[in-house]
Every structure is written in C-alpha cells, then in structure tokens.
C-alpha cells in the first residue's frame, strides 16, 4: 500500500538522548556557521527549484531564523545568534520573491510575508508589525485559496499565533470571520464533508495537511475554544465521517490517498500526503469516538510499517515529519510504544541527516525540508511533547 522504493528499513539503533542532543547542537552550529549576511543560507540540491537566499518559512531564511531562535528559547541548544538587525531586510527580500509567485495577493503563511512578519513579531514585537500581519491575514477574507500553505487556513493560524503574543481582540474577530467562511464552504459529498481546492490550475478535493482537508481542519482544531457550539458540532461530526469514507484498509493499517475518490494503491506515506499527516493532524482533536480512535491507531501502524523515508530526515516529506504521528499518538493515548517508535524514527533520521550532509558537502538549511526542522523534532522526542513547527508553534 505504500511505495517501497520511497522507504528504507529501520536501522537497529537504540534511542540515546545524548546522541539526539548532540545532533541538535551539530545542526544548530552548522546553520550558524553557514549563515551569510548577504544571501542568508545556500539552497540545497534536494530542494528542487530553490535558489540561494530563499526567504520563506517553508524552505527559506525565515524558517531557519525562527527555528534557531525557538531552539534556544526552549532550552534545546546553547548556541545563539541575534537576527533582529536583519529582520527588515528579510521581510523586504521575501516580499520581492513572493511578488513573483502566482498567489502573491494572498496572505501566505509558509511562503509570503505573513510568515516572515510573524517571525519578526516573535523576535522583535511592535505595533507596526502587528498591523501589517493583520492586513496580510485579512487579504484572505475573499480570495479563493483555501489551504494551509498559501491561503485562508494559514491566516487563521496566524491569528492564533498573534493571540498568543497579544491580547488584542481583533485576532479572534478576524479568525471568527474566516472560520465562518471556511465552514460555510465545507460541502457534503458521498465521501463525507469535503472542500474543493482551487489550486495550481485545477480543482480537486485534496485530503492532506498541507493542501487539503486536514490542513483546513488544523486551525479549526487549534482554535477550538473560539468556535461556536454549532461550529464545534459541525467539525466533530465531519471529521470521523470523512476520514472513514476515504480510509484505505490494508493488512498493515490504514492509509489515505492524496485526493478524495482516487482508487488503487495509496503510495505516498509522508506528512503532506498519506497516513502520517492525517494522524498528526487529527490526533489533536478534542473529542473521541471509537471509530476515529481506531482509524488514528491504524494510521500510526501503517506509518510504522512503512518505515523511514528515502527522501531524508525532513518534516514535510521525510522521516522526522512521519515521526510526529507517533508523538501525537503518544500524547493522545499515553501508550509508551508510540514514544518508543517516535524515538526510533529520530535515530534513523539523525543517520539520514548525516549521510546527506556527507553526500552533498553541506547541510540542508530550511525548516520544513531541512535540518533545523529535524532538530525541532529531536527536541520533541527528548521531551515527549510534540509541537509541529508552523502549526503547533511559531
């Protein structure tokens, strides 16, 4: 049910907390050593199409700067660097890059200045930055993109992050407006309630947490206390129905296709598409049904059986991202086997990170596709508390 060439066998390496800490420190030290005042960080050959000096949260300087600051802030590393003097230049450079992309009008969390402004707000909070974030998030009120990377769910997450940094009521008010629109566009189908994504020139009912159903549900789950009772009931009814209708059963557990309604084998088993991302997203729901819980556990089993990913150690489509499914299941069930599995994936990911660095002669400097994202995962494996970057924390 998963594509075997996309996965590798689990290496027989036991979890050693000190080894994980050493890997975190190595990653942070390397990122700081390779930082360049003019071009930020070099692109990696595995990030197709990326160029030196990328600026976004997804695979650019904003994500690396946030991760380095975050790891220091939570006590994950002793290394530190003051990036505050560079923030204005980072925002300007990101705006120039984002202006060339198809969705430049949208408030994009992972690629646009909505994301870079949030990073600036974490490092150097001020009223002007908050106003700019509100303006960019509000741009999504009527624009057509309904997915986490480019559009409405990302701006709803931005409101949640801003509410953690500010007690202003405008963040809850904007979130409420966007949540109402998002739920009004959730349509009942024979495969459960779904959104139709208007993305990259096509209309499809994507399911995963980056472009699809799960990604749209993320801010509704994260902002649960801000929803009305009728909205909570709609979400609680929709999630088990849609996950069940689209689940692909196998001897090794449950998998999901990237797009609703597809038939045959569901080959992609990674955070952005497939069981790991679905489990990571929906293990956080503040309700439980026997059917839903069984699906989440079966999705975790499928992810474990598939094994580490050949694409490397990263979050979006790598071993670290898949491991978050186990961390989320551990938090939901308190079953220690899930923490043990998360830590086994962590050790495999450390080896992969080092192998890739030797092969290419450089680290991979990005949050969702690179080494600092892995460092955040390793820290969460040490603490046992999952905080997926850009979703649970920013």
């Amino acid at each position: 049910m998963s594509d075997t060439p996309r996965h590798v066998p689990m290496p027989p390496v036991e979890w050693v907390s000190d080894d994980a800490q050493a890997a975190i420190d190595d990653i942070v030290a390397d990122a700081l050593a390779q930082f360049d005042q003019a071009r930020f960080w070099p692109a990696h050959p595995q990030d197709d199409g990326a160029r030196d000096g990328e600026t976004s949260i997804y695979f650019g300087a904003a994500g690396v700067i946030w991760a380095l600051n975050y790891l220091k802030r939570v006590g994950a590393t002793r290394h530190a660097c003051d990036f505050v003097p560079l923030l204005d230049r980072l925002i300007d450079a990101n705006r120039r890059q984002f202006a060339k992309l198809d969705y430049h009008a949208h408030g994009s969390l992972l690629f646009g200045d909505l994301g870079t402004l949030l990073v600036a707000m974490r490092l150097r909070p001020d009223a002007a930055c908050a106003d700019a974030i509100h303006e960019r998030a509000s741009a999504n009120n009527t624009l057509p993109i309904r997915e986490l990377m480019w559009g409405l769910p990302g701006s709803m997450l931005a409101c949640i992050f801003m509410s953690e940094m500010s007690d202003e009521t405008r963040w809850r008010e904007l979130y409420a407006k966007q949540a109402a629109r998002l739920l009004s566009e959730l349509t009942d189908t024979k495969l459960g309630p779904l959104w139709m994504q208007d993305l990259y020139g096509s209309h499809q009912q994507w399911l995963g947490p980056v472009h699809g159903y799960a990604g749209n549900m993320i801010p509704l789950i994260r902002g649960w206390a801000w929803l009305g009772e009728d909205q909570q009931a709609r979400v609680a009814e929709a999630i088990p129905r849609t996950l069940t209708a689209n689940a692909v059963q196998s001897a090794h557990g449950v998998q999901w296709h990237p797009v609703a309604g597809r038939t045959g084998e569901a080959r992609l088993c990674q955070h952005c598409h497939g069981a790991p991302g679905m489990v990571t997203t929906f293990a956080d729901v503040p309700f439980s049904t026997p059917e839903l819980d069984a699906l989440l556990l079966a999705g975790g089993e499928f992810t474990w059986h598939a094994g580490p990913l050949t694409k490397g150690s990263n979050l979006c489509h790598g071993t670290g991202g898949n491991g978050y499914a186990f961390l989320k299941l551990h938090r939901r069930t308190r079953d220690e086997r899930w923490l043990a599995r998360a830590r086994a994936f962590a050790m495999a990911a450390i080896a992969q990170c080092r192998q890739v660095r030797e092969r290419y002669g450089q680290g991979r400097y990005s949050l969702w596709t690179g080494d600092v994202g892995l460092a955040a995962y390793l820290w969460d494996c040490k603490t046992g508390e999952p905080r997926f970057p850009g979703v649970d924390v920013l």
Side-chain angles (χ1 to χ4, degrees):
M1 289 298 297
S2 62
D3 197 344
T4 302
R6 296 178 183 271
H7 298 266
V8 296
M10 179 68 69
V13 180
E14 294 185 1
W15 166 257
V16 179
S17 181
D18 287 347
D19 289 351
Q21 184 61 58
I24 293 171
D25 287 331
D26 287 346
I27 289 169
V28 173
D30 176 62
L32 291 174
Q34 296 304 314
F35 173 71
D36 183 271
Q37 291 279 343
R39 66 171 185 171
F40 301 119
W41 281 275
H44 196 275
Q46 290 181 303
D47 286 330
D48 296 337
R51 299 179 180 180
D52 290 354
E54 292 285 350
T55 56
S56 70
I57 281 181
Y58 181 78
F59 63 4
V64 179
I65 288 172
W66 173 84
L68 295 175
N69 176 267
Y70 170 75
L71 291 167
K72 176 62 177 178
R73 180 157 40 96
V74 298
T77 184
R78 65 183 184 278
H79 299 293
C81 183
D82 181 13
F83 291 104
V84 169
L86 302 169
L87 292 176
D88 290 336
R89 186 161 62 82
L90 172 67
I91 294 167
D92 289 343
N94 175 259
R95 284 173 173 162
R96 290 194 299 272
Q97 290 181 359
F98 189 56
K100 300 175 184 178
L101 302 181
D102 290 342
Y103 301 128
H104 59 271
H106 291 77
S108 171
L109 175 66
L110 296 185
F111 273 95
D113 62 347
L114 178 60
T116 54
L117 286 164
L118 280 167
V119 173
M121 192 71 185
R122 281 292 187 197
L123 272 65
R124 185 200 58 194
D126 62 56
C129 186
D131 289 344
I133 291 170
H134 193 271
E135 178 183 355
R136 297 302 294 133
S138 298
N140 290 334
N141 286 345
T142 58
L143 291 168
I145 305 302
R146 296 187 303 264
E147 58 88 71
L148 182 68
M149 180 174 282
W150 300 103
L152 192 66
S155 58
M156 292 168 65
L157 275 181
C159 290
I160 294 171
F161 294 137
M162 284 301 298
S163 75
E164 297 168 353
M165 294 183 274
S166 165
D167 58 1
E168 294 178 298
T169 60
R170 60 175 170 169
W171 304 112
R172 183 166 182 169
E173 292 167 356
L174 178 56
Y175 173 95
K177 182 175 184 176
Q178 296 186 342
R181 177 196 162 192
L182 189 63
L183 283 170
S184 74
E185 296 170 346
L186 180 62
T187 303
D188 284 319
T189 76
K190 64 181 180 180
L191 293 172
L194 290 165
W195 284 279
M196 181 68 72
Q197 299 296 347
D198 176 3
L199 190 66
Y200 304 142
S202 67
H203 292 78
Q204 298 193 79
Q205 293 168 325
W206 293 92
L207 290 173
V210 178
H211 300 307
Y213 179 84
N216 287 8
M217 283 294 183
I218 285 172
L220 298 173
I221 297 167
R222 290 273 284 110
W224 188 258
W226 287 358
L227 300 179
E229 290 185 5
D230 58 334
Q231 293 175 319
Q232 292 177 348
R234 174 63 166 151
V235 173
E237 184 274 337
I239 287 173
R241 192 148 59 97
T242 302
L243 265 60
T244 299
N246 292 278
V248 183
Q249 303 284 344
S250 78
H252 303 302
V254 169
Q255 167 73 315
W256 285 268
H257 285 286
V259 177
R262 287 189 178 173
T263 58
E265 294 186 343
R267 295 185 176 278
L268 292 178
C269 181
Q270 53 199 44
H271 176 74
C272 48
H273 299 298
M278 302 298 276
V279 173
T280 296
T281 297
F282 294 110
D284 279 344
V285 297
F287 54 85
S288 176
T289 70
E291 185 178 50
L292 175 61
D293 290 343
L295 282 174
L296 294 174
L297 293 174
E301 291 293 348
F302 189 93
T303 303
W304 173 251
H305 184 270
L309 281 150
T310 58
K311 287 185 177 181
S313 60
N314 68 86
L315 298 182
C316 190
H317 37 258
T319 302
N322 282 22
Y324 267 106
F326 309 137
L327 285 177
K328 292 295 182 83
L329 285 174
H330 173 253
R331 184 166 67 184
R332 186 174 180 87
T333 67
R334 307 320 301 177
D335 185 337
E336 291 298 316
R337 69 182 170 132
W338 295 114
L339 181 58
R341 289 178 172 185
R343 288 171 167 173
F345 265 45
M347 300 306 290
I350 291 171
Q352 288 180 309
C353 179
R354 290 169 176 166
Q355 289 166 3
V356 169
R357 189 179 298 178
E358 291 177 3
R359 183 183 311 147
Y360 291 99
Q362 67 168 86
R364 197 171 180 180
Y365 308 107
S366 69
L367 178 57
W368 276 53
T369 69
D371 300 345
V372 292
L374 170 61
Y377 173 66
L378 296 177
W379 178 251
D380 289 353
C381 283
K382 281 172 60 69
T383 65
E385 291 296 328
R387 299 179 183 89
F388 198 100
V391 173
D392 299 322
V393 62
L394 190 67

